[in-house]
Amino acid sequence: MPRFWLATRWAIALLISISFELLLNGPAGAQAAPRARAYTRSAHLMGSHFTFTAVSADDSLAWRALRAGLRETQRIDRLFSYWDSTSQVTKINRLAGIRPVVVDQEVVDLIARTLKISALSGGAFDITFASGDKIYKFDRQAHASLPDSATVRHSVRRIGWQKVQLDPIKHTVFLPGKGMRINLAGILQGYGVRRAQELMKKMGIAGGLINGSGDVYCWGQQPDGSGWRIAIGDPARPQSVSSWLTVSDLAVVTAGNYEQYFTVDGRYYGHIINPHTGYPATGLRSVTIICPDVELADALDDAVFVLGPVEGLAFINRLKGVSCTLIDDSGQTLVSKGMQLNSYHSAAPAAAAHPTSKP
């Protein structure tokens, strides 16, 4: 029986193939009750491709819910965009070092949650990464060398999540240093998916799937009653699959580094920057987080990328209700404690959850 296939994808080219069972009416003349089917709508949002899927026996309800989910994501994009000159995030950045900015409670709340994740991850996740100097060009080309160490150290001088000043009473955000900036790109797609899903479910959509370019949340069941099958791509073989799992009421979020990168002496350097050192995070090609909260998963994949395979796995193993699977620079698949994957032939054998040394 055909199933729903979806490969998680954020910055890496991962396989997405979705098939729906064809649902037929009863015999001619019979007054059969409407049967559930899957309705899908796609849009370009937050600079990425989003797909909204609703499972329903009521086509009018399904289309209303899809439109509502899309509009909610658009609203969030306008509110938090780093690039939109009218967004509240842009205003915070524009007035850095000048004065606090009054913002919506929603903005205060999301920034507060990012700071908690920063503290939890030891600063591996940091929305002030945008304060760093642009010293790299991720053009997929071979470069002669990395920037010199003094330039790299200087590039991160304004970064620091601890510097962000929130006043929950006055609803203000203040960046105390001139040139400081925040960018919520590392969590915003997950937040948009979460809010859209909550809205669609409240409207009566008991099953569905939203994919924000690799930030995936699925709930309920497919039209045939089965769970949602999520495929994880193979970084070494674009458009192929390394493993898969079947889930429901869970987020599966993947980050990777082979769409935006450069190489030096044959080594890949991806676009995710370690906010402590200023150098691109190394050691991993792909990170997939599985947990009930798609917003949290969206932030954790970047944190694990920065921490690397050893510290990243140890970090996830300390978190309740969170699992991960990683693909390191050597192509080996690593999994957290209790994580069960179905591997394809293209996947490297799964390793122990506690590797003893970095690759």
Side-chain angles (χ1 to χ4, degrees), residues 231-263:
I232 299 170
D234 186 347
R237 303 171 181 83
Q239 306 304 317
S240 67
V241 172
S242 67
S243 54
W244 59 271
L245 62 162
T246 301
V247 297
S248 184
D249 301 305
L250 281 175
V252 182
V253 173
T254 294
N257 70 353
Y258 71 76
E259 281 194 344
Q260 300 181 64
Y261 67 88
F262 63 88
T263 63

Side-chain angles (χ1 to χ4, degrees), residues 100-325:
V101 177
V102 177
V103 296
D104 293 354
Q105 184 64 49
E106 182 179 6
V107 176
V108 173
D109 291 344
L110 182 56
I111 292 176
R113 292 196 296 275
T114 71
L115 300 182
K116 289 180 180 179
I117 296 170
S118 294
L120 181 68
S121 66
F125 179 83
D126 190 335
I127 60 171
T128 69
F129 77 90
S131 305
D133 296 337
K134 303 296 187 294
I135 61 174
Y136 302 104
K137 187 176 182 181
F138 300 101
D139 55 5
R140 304 189 186 187
Q141 302 298 313
H143 294 189
S145 64
L146 293 169
D148 64 83
S149 59
T151 298
V152 174
R153 286 195 304 271
H154 190 263
S155 72
V156 296
R157 67 195 184 282
R158 290 187 294 261
I159 295 176
W161 62 273
Q162 303 96 327
K163 302 174 186 177
V164 179
Q165 298 178 15
L166 287 181
D167 188 328
I169 304 301
K170 296 181 179 179
H171 295 181
T172 62
V173 183
F174 181 49
L175 305 179
K178 282 287 189 72
M180 278 194 71
R181 294 181 295 273
I182 59 172
N183 186 341
L184 280 76
I187 199 171
L188 195 58
Q189 288 184 176
Y191 177 58
V193 169
R194 179 172 72 79
R195 289 294 298 260
Q197 185 273 336
E198 290 171 348
L199 180 59
M200 290 171 65
K201 188 173 182 179
K202 187 176 181 180
M203 292 178 68
I205 302 301
L209 184 149
I210 303 176
N211 175 19
S213 191
D215 289 10
V216 176
Y217 186 83
C218 52
W219 71 102
Q221 298 175 327
Q222 294 190 61
D224 65 1
S226 64
W228 303 92
R229 184 170 292 185
I230 311 296
I232 299 170
D234 186 347
R237 303 171 181 83
Q239 306 304 317
S240 67
V241 172
S242 67
S243 54
W244 59 271
L245 62 162
T246 301
V247 297
S248 184
D249 301 305
L250 281 175
V252 182
V253 173
T254 294
N257 70 353
Y258 71 76
E259 281 194 344
Q260 300 181 64
Y261 67 88
F262 63 88
T263 63
V264 175
D265 295 329
R267 185 175 189 182
Y268 280 80
Y269 292 91
H271 70 287
I272 298 175
I273 303 296
N274 184 326
H276 300 304
T277 67
Y279 287 98
T282 58
L284 291 168
R285 301 297 308 281
S286 172
V287 173
T288 299
I289 304 291
I290 301 96
C291 76
D293 187 340
V294 64
E295 176 190 309
L296 175 63
D298 194 15
L300 292 179
D301 62 4
D302 284 354
V304 171
F305 240 107
V306 169
L307 291 170
V310 177
E311 293 183 27
L313 275 176
F315 171 58
I316 295 299
N317 285 332
R318 292 194 298 268
L319 303 181
K320 185 177 180 180
V322 181
S323 301
C324 75
T325 176

